[in-house]
């Protein structure tokens, strides 16, 4: 097999305009024939396409890789009106794929990106549907008092420009960013930490992350998935402190067709810590679903 190199998430990025917003993305087509996979990569809340850079470098199979910044993140614009919801985000993604004439073999979502991938699949009616692969997916709302207080905090931060500026200013402290990353149970290299620091220095990005969280309603996602009896691949990192793996196991245990894989030596940012293992897992899932 010929090795294929995928490098530098900032190079080759361009903008595609759809009816809802402008997307910043990389469309890397290194297929050798029409049977090679087409893979869409969706990052989690607060990240951008840069978070997939280690996996792109680790990837060695011919494929078309579509790597996007989610709405309001990185270089993608935010929704003009109507708020940030899971359903609306999935519809916006569908518009993008239609604009690109892209029929993905798989949609791979990390954390909140996993929920977007699942919602996108629920909204599809076409007979040929992509496999849904999730890495440490964020599938449950917050529990208890946090479930009441956090959305209120998120809404406040999303609508208060000064608070966004204050939080962005704190991102100048590299140690603060490192503590944030370590709090997820992950250890990533300096270049990846720098990517998060550059994002968090932007007040608009910070406000849009909170806007996303404030509008994030997950109550209907798993019941709808269960009712449709759709297949789902889940990769769980056992050191994840942001989305504890035991909660995800409990969340998906009632699903009819779920294949879970454990990753012992990684945290929430598993695709950045162990990119070769995650790339291998994606290929295994594609093989299993073909």
């Amino acid at each position: 097999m010929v090795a294929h190199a995928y490098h530098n998430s900032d190079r080759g990025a361009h903008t595609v305009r759809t009816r809802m917003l402008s997307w910043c993305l990389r469309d890397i087509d290194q297929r050798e024939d029409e049977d090679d996979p087409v893979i869409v990569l969706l990052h989690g809340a607060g990240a951008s396409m840069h978070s997939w850079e280690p996996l792109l470098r680790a990837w060695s199979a011919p494929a078309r890789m579509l790597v996007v910044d989610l709405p309001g993140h990185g270089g993608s614009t935010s929704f003009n009106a109507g708020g940030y919801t899971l359903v609306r985000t999935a519809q916006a993604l569908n518009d993008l794929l239609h604009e690109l004439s892209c029929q993905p073999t798989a949609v791979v979502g990390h954390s909140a990106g996993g929920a977007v991938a699942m919602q996108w699949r629920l909204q599809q009616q076409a007979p040929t549907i992509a496999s849904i692969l999730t890495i440490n997916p964020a599938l449950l709302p917050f529990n208890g008092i946090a479930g009441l207080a956090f959305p209120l905090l998120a809404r406040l931060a999303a609508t208060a420009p000064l608070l966004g500026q204050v939080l962005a200013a704190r991102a100048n402290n590299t140690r603060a960013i490192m503590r944030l990353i370590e709090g997820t149970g992950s250890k990533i290299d300096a270049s990846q930490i720098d990517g998060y620091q550059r994002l968090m220095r932007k007040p608009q990005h910070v406000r849009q992350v909170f806007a996303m969280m404030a509008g994030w309603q997950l109550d209907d996602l798993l019941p709808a998935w269960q009712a449709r009896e759709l297949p789902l691949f889940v990769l769980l990192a056992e050191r994840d402190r942001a989305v504890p793996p035991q909660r995800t196991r409990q969340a998906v245990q009632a699903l009819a067709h779920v294949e879970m894989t454990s990753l012992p030596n990684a945290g929430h940012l598993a695709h950045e810590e162990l990119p070769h293992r995650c790339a291998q897992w994606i290929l295994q899932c594609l093989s299993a679903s073909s």
Side-chain angles (χ1 to χ4, degrees), residues 145-159:
I145 297 299
L148 298 175
F150 185 81
L152 295 176
L153 174 62
R155 291 188 186 97
L156 174 63
T159 57

Side-chain angles (χ1 to χ4, degrees), residues 31-218:
R31 289 174 292 180
E32 295 176 352
D33 60 58
E34 61 182 15
D35 293 328
D36 290 333
V38 178
I39 303 171
V40 178
L41 299 175
L42 304 176
H43 62 78
S48 73
M49 70 174 78
H50 94 279
S51 70
W52 294 107
E53 179 64 19
L55 187 139
L56 292 174
R57 290 197 300 265
W59 191 266
S60 61
R64 180 184 180 188
M65 311 289 277
L66 182 65
V67 197
V68 305
D69 283 342
L70 288 176
H73 291 63
S76 293
T77 61
S78 56
F79 293 113
N80 292 325
Y84 208 136
T85 67
L86 184 58
V87 170
R88 198 172 189 212
T89 305
Q91 182 57 58
L93 174 63
N94 195 60
D95 288 349
L96 173 65
L97 297 180
H98 179 76
E99 182 69 24
L100 296 172
S101 299
C102 178
Q103 296 182 335
T105 307
V107 181
V108 183
H110 169 250
S111 192
V116 174
M118 292 174 68
Q119 184 64 45
W120 173 82
R121 172 62 182 87
L122 286 171
Q123 294 173 204
Q124 301 308 298
Q125 302 298 325
T128 302
I129 295 296
S131 299
I132 301 301
L133 285 59
T134 61
I135 301 174
N136 297 327
L139 301 178
L140 291 173
F142 291 92
N143 284 332
I145 297 299
L148 298 175
F150 185 81
L152 295 176
L153 174 62
R155 291 188 186 97
L156 174 63
T159 57
L162 289 179
L163 183 53
Q165 291 172 4
V166 170
L167 294 173
R170 291 199 62 187
N172 288 316
N173 185 335
T174 302
R175 280 193 166 275
I177 299 298
M178 292 177 65
R179 285 195 297 270
L180 183 66
I181 298 298
E182 291 170 357
T184 71
S186 288
K187 295 181 179 179
I188 59 177
D189 66 30
S191 65
Q192 289 300 104
I193 292 174
D194 180 67
Y196 284 103
Q197 188 166 22
R198 283 188 286 113
L199 286 172
M200 298 305 293
R201 282 173 177 159
K202 301 175 181 179
Q204 177 65 14
H205 175 87
V206 174
R207 287 195 296 272
Q208 287 305 310
V209 171
F210 277 105
M212 179 185 190
M213 293 178 177
W216 217 235
Q217 296 296 326
L218 298 172

Side-chain angles (χ1 to χ4, degrees), residues 262-274:
S262 177
L263 197 57
N265 299 314
H268 190 61
L269 306 178
H271 57 306
E272 300 184 56
E273 290 183 280
L274 299 176

Side-chain angles (χ1 to χ4, degrees), residues 4-44:
H4 291 75
Y6 299 83
H7 295 294
N8 199 326
S9 60
D10 291 330
R11 295 179 182 174
H14 63 281
T15 298
V16 174
R17 178 72 190 179
T18 66
R19 65 189 178 96
M20 299 180 76
L21 47 83
S22 291
W23 293 83
C24 183
L25 59 91
R26 293 181 71 201
D27 190 349
I28 312 163
D29 195 345
Q30 296 191 6
R31 289 174 292 180
E32 295 176 352
D33 60 58
E34 61 182 15
D35 293 328
D36 290 333
V38 178
I39 303 171
V40 178
L41 299 175
L42 304 176
H43 62 78

